[in-house]
Amino acid sequence: MSASCCDHDEKPKAPATTKDHTDHDHDHKGHAHGHDTHKGHNHDEGHNDHDDDHADHDHDHGDPSSFRTYVPAITSLLLLLMGIGFDHFFKSSFFTGWVRFVWYALSYMPVGWPVIKETLEGFKSKQFFTEFSLMALAMLGAFSIGEYPEGVAVMLFYAVGELFQSAAVNRAKGNIKALLDVRPHTAAVLREGTYQTVAPESVDIGETIQIRSGEKAPLDGEMLSNGSSFNTSALTGESKPKNINQGETVLAGMVNLDKVIELKVSRKFADSSLARILDLVQNASSRKAKTELMIRRFAQVYTPIVFFLAMALVVLPYVIVEHYVFREWLYRALVFLVISCPCALVISIPLGYFGGIGAASRNGILFKGGNYLDVMAKVNTVVMDKTGTLTEGVFEVQDVQTTGMDKTEFMRTLIALEQKSTHPIAKAVTQFVIDNPQALEATDVEEISGHGLKGTVNGATVLAGNTKLLRKFDIAYDATIDSIVETIVVVAINGAYTGHVTIADQIKTDAQAAVKAMHDNGVNQTIMLSGDKSAITQKVAQSIGIDTAYGDLLPEDKVAHVEKIKTDPSKVVAFVGDGVNDAPVLALSDVGIAMGGMGSDAAIETADVVIQTDQPSKIATAIKISKATKHIVWQNIGLAFSVKAIVLLLGAGGLATMWEAVFADVGVALLAILNAMRIQRMTFD
């Protein structure tokens, strides 16, 4: 036990990685050693699926910002328009027979050849029924009956749709790409008396780096300079600058806004907060949502069914129709094939999830996969840690009460004694600002186990600790002190009670609004679990509107509480925490949410969602984004199925031409894309 005012009525939590532990004695902390436990639940994560079919092609048709990407489509369009002109407006004797065929074949190749290559690649891997093979078959059929313009148009508009989709996906990934762009490429490290420009990966822990005004911090480190203001928006989504003082942590990716500063590197680049975030975001798309996986599996079954239905549309009428015309029924089958292409479905669903992940990252929330967007939309029970989640996790002196002694002199005396301790309560006392900061010196300081400290200050014998300390020395004090809920430090000087200070953890400014927003967004029950004593826990819960709260919990007690909640199958549980001890509960919950700014590595690695701003109000924001994403995805599914069903019936009945089929297919895709992109323009705060 450290020499401190130990065993006050309640101990505050150690900062950062050991928040919200039960520490009533400080001798026997119930620490859960931060098992880096990964989810036992799967949520149908797509990385186990390996996306082993062509339905999962990524529609990457080059950089949409590059003009070269559009050259094939423009070339085909110009040749097609010229061909149509020769056919209908500038009729010429030369534009017939093989010349006409070659012209349209040439106009087809710029957009059609990539699809033919994909079709052949699919055949090699025994993927016979894909959207590529459907498009290629439709083109061949159109050319076989002399409908050359329609054959080219099929592929041209398919390519145009792909370009729109590619541009939309890149826009949806815009926030993620912006995050990637904050990766610093160089670091100015102090070596041999001068600052040398090196790659951040080559800088070791403990080295000193310099960051000039306007530059990004290349690595995590401790501020050696007096302080500076930083733009943290790339990491947290928070536009308001953050002031970071000497001794505090600066994270890689933060932009220094003021003067030249120096940092002492605390983590290798690969272990920095920025590198960790980049890894989380880049891997997010590997975890597919159930809806996305369902659509892809559906496409695998749907495509061959459509192919055989198209074949039946050509063959069956031969035996049941009195005046059978092969060319007419083949044309109907080709229309059927074109409109049945599942591309709009296959791309619009993941695009919706990309948009949701991008919108979340813009708001300082990192989803580790589309599957967690699905689960988050269903959350109806939110269980939260207290310290560091709903409170700041930073203890401060809230009140000073003295009896017959000046408050400034009282605090100077207490600070002198507490400076000999490293306990969090002692730190809170020593950071208290007084009008006359002239320091006193404490001597002969000794720890009285489970009670507090004893020492000599300015010739007087001083006791500082809990009320048990005063009772031990038979010192009378005001009995009403025992009813104070918050942590207190009582002080006696020369055998007489002199006063006490009240120390408390600050409730986060948005905690009350966060709980209300959760209730407004479908959360039926909010629960707070804490290692703090029950009286403090209940007071915090009541002040911010938490439905149920439990205090005096060990880490294993939190696990037991969540396990009990999960026995009710109607409850979809999100757990929010930030400490090492929260990792097992994060893994147990349906969706684990970690506070990423001050949270422990174990909690962030185990969680499914990371809130970079440490604001509990972002929990409701994450729910809103998840629900908006789910609505958009299902709107796209309904739109695609309804329009395609109508045009399929019209095509089979001979009431729709291939031109209408092409425009309908591309139109559905574009509408789905525009709908999916809406989430990028929504506001959620």
Side-chain angles (χ1 to χ4, degrees), residues 410-428:
F410 172 84
M411 287 304 299
R412 288 176 64 206
T413 303
L414 177 58
I415 289 170
L417 190 62
E418 295 288 10
Q419 281 177 337
K420 303 298 182 179
S421 170
T422 58
H423 194 275
I425 284 182
K427 184 178 180 182

Side-chain angles (χ1 to χ4, degrees), residues 410-656:
F410 172 84
M411 287 304 299
R412 288 176 64 206
T413 303
L414 177 58
I415 289 170
L417 190 62
E418 295 288 10
Q419 281 177 337
K420 303 298 182 179
S421 170
T422 58
H423 194 275
I425 284 182
K427 184 178 180 182
V429 171
T430 57
Q431 289 181 340
F432 185 76
V433 177
I434 56 178
D435 295 332
N436 182 8
Q438 182 180 354
L440 297 176
E441 183 67 27
T443 57
D444 301 324
V445 178
E446 63 176 293
E447 173 198 352
I448 301 173
S449 179
H451 295 74
L453 298 173
K454 178 183 178 183
T456 302
V457 180
N458 211 19
T461 300
V462 181
L463 299 172
N466 55 31
T467 53
K468 288 189 292 183
L469 180 67
L470 300 193
R471 290 195 294 271
K472 178 179 177 67
F473 284 87
D474 295 323
I475 297 173
Y477 64 91
D478 186 351
T480 59
I481 291 175
D482 290 327
S483 64
I484 296 174
V485 172
E486 291 83 3
T487 298
I488 62 170
V489 178
V490 293
V491 179
I493 300 177
N494 290 332
Y497 167 74
T498 310
H500 69 268
V501 297
T502 303
I503 297 174
D505 189 2
Q506 290 288 329
I507 296 174
K508 289 185 177 180
T509 55
D510 65 331
Q512 184 174 5
V515 174
K516 182 179 184 303
M518 281 183 257
H519 283 134
D520 292 343
N521 284 277
V523 175
N524 301 325
Q525 187 177 23
T526 52
I527 301 169
M528 186 169 71
L529 306 179
S530 178
D532 274 354
K533 63 184 180 183
S534 188
I536 294 177
T537 302
Q538 297 299 332
K539 182 179 180 181
V540 171
Q542 185 176 6
S543 67
I544 63 177
I546 293 285
D547 297 322
T548 310
Y550 302 94
D552 297 319
L553 300 179
L554 293 169
E556 53 266 33
D557 298 328
K558 294 181 183 180
V559 171
H561 271 282
V562 173
E563 285 178 336
K564 182 178 179 181
I565 294 168
K566 282 177 65 63
T567 58
D568 182 348
S570 67
K571 293 186 182 297
V572 181
V573 181
F575 180 83
V576 192
D578 70 330
V580 170
N581 288 349
D582 295 325
V585 201
L586 287 165
L588 175 65
S589 59
D590 292 306
V591 56
I593 304 173
M595 292 293 175
M598 294 296 292
S600 71
D601 288 350
I604 291 169
E605 289 299 321
T606 307
D608 309 311
V609 180
V610 180
I611 296 176
Q612 284 299 113
T613 60
D614 280 349
Q615 295 172 286
S617 57
K618 294 294 184 180
I619 302 168
T621 303
I623 294 173
K624 291 178 188 177
I625 292 172
S626 299
K627 289 186 173 182
T629 302
K630 185 177 179 181
H631 288 154
I632 284 173
V633 165
W634 281 103
Q635 284 169 2
N636 280 351
I637 291 172
L639 172 70
F641 273 119
S642 58
V643 173
K644 282 183 178 290
I646 293 169
V647 182
L648 279 172
L649 291 174
L650 292 175
L655 300 176

